[in-house]
Amino acid sequence: MARYALVIGIAEYLSPSLSRLSKTTNDAEAVAQLLEQYGDFQSVQRLPQRWNKDKNGYEMGASKVTGAEMGEKLRIFLLEQAAKNEALIYFSGHGFITSDGLGQKKGYLATSDSQIEVAGNQIVEQKYGISLDSLNQLIRDSQLSSLVVLLDCCHSGYFLERQLVEQTLTAFSSQRDYCLITACRGFERAGVIKSEEYSIFTGAVLKGLAAENAGNSRRISSDRLFDFVSDELRGSVQEPIRMGLGRSITLVTYPTGSQAPVSTPQSDQTVINNSFNMSGNSIGDFAGSGSINYKEAPNQIRSITVNSSSLPSPSLNQLTNQQRCQSLRNHLSESLELLEEYEQQERLTSDPKLRRSAKNEQERLRQEIASYEQEINNLGC
């Protein structure tokens, strides 16, 4: 299944109420490059973009992006290009909320031509911004396999509030395999440290997606990323939030230095096939979803073939044992990683059915782990 990414970074604004943002272009380009290199995306589009003839490729531009341009790009991306495939959207720029006379609030992503009318300390009218209500409906209308949205936005104390996001982007609590992670707090006042290369949130995202944060599977999922970002920003002025439903979505995958197990050639001698079943699933747990659900991916059957007959060459027997030991270690590491995810699922969900299911999976994994450890000891690995 193909994967598509749309990376948006808006630095320039016409409204005097929306100051120029110095880090958005750099933030967005760093995210785009990482996704291109390790995300296995069919396409990583940038908005705005410019051609770099020295690199012979596109890079983030610093030009203005109008509401019409951004709206059309999002519509084509969600409804046409990424239809029935996996999609990721990253946005870095201003976000703001409007409040009417009755105190009703609406959230917007600012575009370069956004016009804002301020009364007192509140925004009461706007033009050309991207409405979160409209974005939510667009997501509902899309037919995607999965969607991840990363929002690094806010504006000088106007908060893209947790309650507002949860009430507006309801598509993330009603469809499978959807995930929203947002920086949530002030972009200019609190979200940028001038001495740092990236904004606080995107800097944490880039660290969370780095190879150092990949487990033994060499994959970094949406759950793993949020856990890292949340820990990284704990105690700071920002509180990232997460919403969604479904399985945890793999964002990047790093190459492993270890070689995959190699089966010995078939022969006329007796061959014993030892198959180890691993559940290749991850658990999605999201704030604000009302209820937590998850889907277990189909089991991945990994067959390790070992020639058990006595062979005249001791070195071949030794090599086969080494291969088997490496395979057992790989399965043990994956089981331990899955066990941690199910333990987290049990802690975070209030649904009794999901808690029982998580406990059952933990028991199954503990038995597998004990079996792997015993065989590793028997082989003297």
Side-chain angles (χ1 to χ4, degrees), residues 143-189:
Q143 299 294 323
L144 303 173
S145 172
S146 67
L147 173 64
V148 174
V149 177
L150 306 174
L151 294 179
D152 191 350
C153 59
C154 209
H155 171 62
S156 297
Y158 289 110
F159 298 142
L160 198 59
E161 295 176 345
R162 179 184 182 123
Q163 183 180 13
L164 175 67
V165 173
E166 291 177 352
Q167 290 176 350
T168 303
L169 295 180
T170 56
F172 286 91
S173 60
S174 62
Q175 299 194 43
R176 290 182 178 180
D177 301 347
Y178 281 58
C179 178
L180 164 72
I181 300 177
T182 177
C184 189
R185 295 288 180 173
F187 190 103
E188 280 261 291
R189 182 179 300 173

Side-chain angles (χ1 to χ4, degrees), residues 25-281:
T25 302
N26 195 41
D27 286 354
E29 180 61 26
V31 171
Q33 289 185 15
L34 193 150
L35 295 178
E36 284 177 329
Q37 190 167 3
Y38 299 110
D40 192 28
F41 284 90
Q42 186 82 8
S43 169
V44 177
Q45 298 183 69
R46 295 162 170 83
L47 183 70
Q49 67 180 12
R50 64 188 176 196
W51 182 259
N52 186 323
K53 63 179 181 180
D54 295 330
K55 297 180 180 179
N56 194 34
Y58 285 106
E59 64 184 9
M60 291 300 305
S63 58
K64 297 179 178 64
V65 178
T66 67
E69 290 172 334
M70 184 168 163
E72 181 70 2
K73 196 73 170 180
L74 285 167
R75 189 191 68 79
I76 294 175
F77 178 76
L78 288 170
L79 300 184
E80 298 179 21
Q81 183 180 25
K84 298 182 180 180
N85 290 295
E86 300 182 21
L88 182 148
I89 297 172
Y90 167 89
F91 175 84
S92 179
H94 280 304
F96 61 90
I97 60 174
T98 62
S99 181
D100 62 20
L102 296 176
Q104 297 299 308
K105 296 179 179 180
K106 293 186 177 181
Y108 295 86
L109 303 180
T111 54
S112 296
D113 60 344
S114 292
Q115 297 179 15
I116 291 175
E117 182 181 338
V118 180
N121 62 349
Q122 292 185 329
I123 299 174
V124 293
E125 293 288 346
Q126 78 84 37
K127 286 184 178 180
Y128 310 126
I130 299 297
S131 164
L132 292 186
D133 284 320
S134 297
L135 177 59
N136 183 69
Q137 188 58 52
L138 193 64
I139 293 170
R140 283 188 177 277
D141 293 340
S142 64
Q143 299 294 323
L144 303 173
S145 172
S146 67
L147 173 64
V148 174
V149 177
L150 306 174
L151 294 179
D152 191 350
C153 59
C154 209
H155 171 62
S156 297
Y158 289 110
F159 298 142
L160 198 59
E161 295 176 345
R162 179 184 182 123
Q163 183 180 13
L164 175 67
V165 173
E166 291 177 352
Q167 290 176 350
T168 303
L169 295 180
T170 56
F172 286 91
S173 60
S174 62
Q175 299 194 43
R176 290 182 178 180
D177 301 347
Y178 281 58
C179 178
L180 164 72
I181 300 177
T182 177
C184 189
R185 295 288 180 173
F187 190 103
E188 280 261 291
R189 182 179 300 173
V192 169
I193 300 176
K194 292 181 183 284
S195 61
E196 297 295 327
E197 185 177 5
Y198 307 108
S199 70
I200 291 176
F201 175 74
T202 295
V205 167
L206 293 171
K207 289 181 182 178
L209 291 176
E212 292 76 11
N213 192 38
N216 292 312
S217 66
R218 308 309 295 155
R219 300 188 306 269
I220 299 176
S221 67
S222 53
D223 280 356
R224 194 179 190 93
L225 173 63
F226 180 79
D227 289 342
F228 180 93
V229 171
S230 183
D231 288 341
E232 187 80 0
L233 300 188
R234 183 170 288 114
S236 72
V237 293
Q238 294 183 233
E239 179 192 358
I241 64 173
R242 167 179 54 183
M243 295 191 302
L245 196 69
R247 66 182 174 85
S248 187
I249 303 167
T250 297
L251 301 178
V252 294
T253 303
Y254 288 91
T256 179
S258 60
Q259 294 182 349
V262 179
S263 299
T264 57
Q266 294 290 339
S267 70
D268 294 334
Q269 298 165 329
T270 303
V271 173
I272 299 175
N273 291 301
N274 293 310
S275 297
F276 298 88
N277 297 340
M278 288 294 299
S279 298
N281 62 300

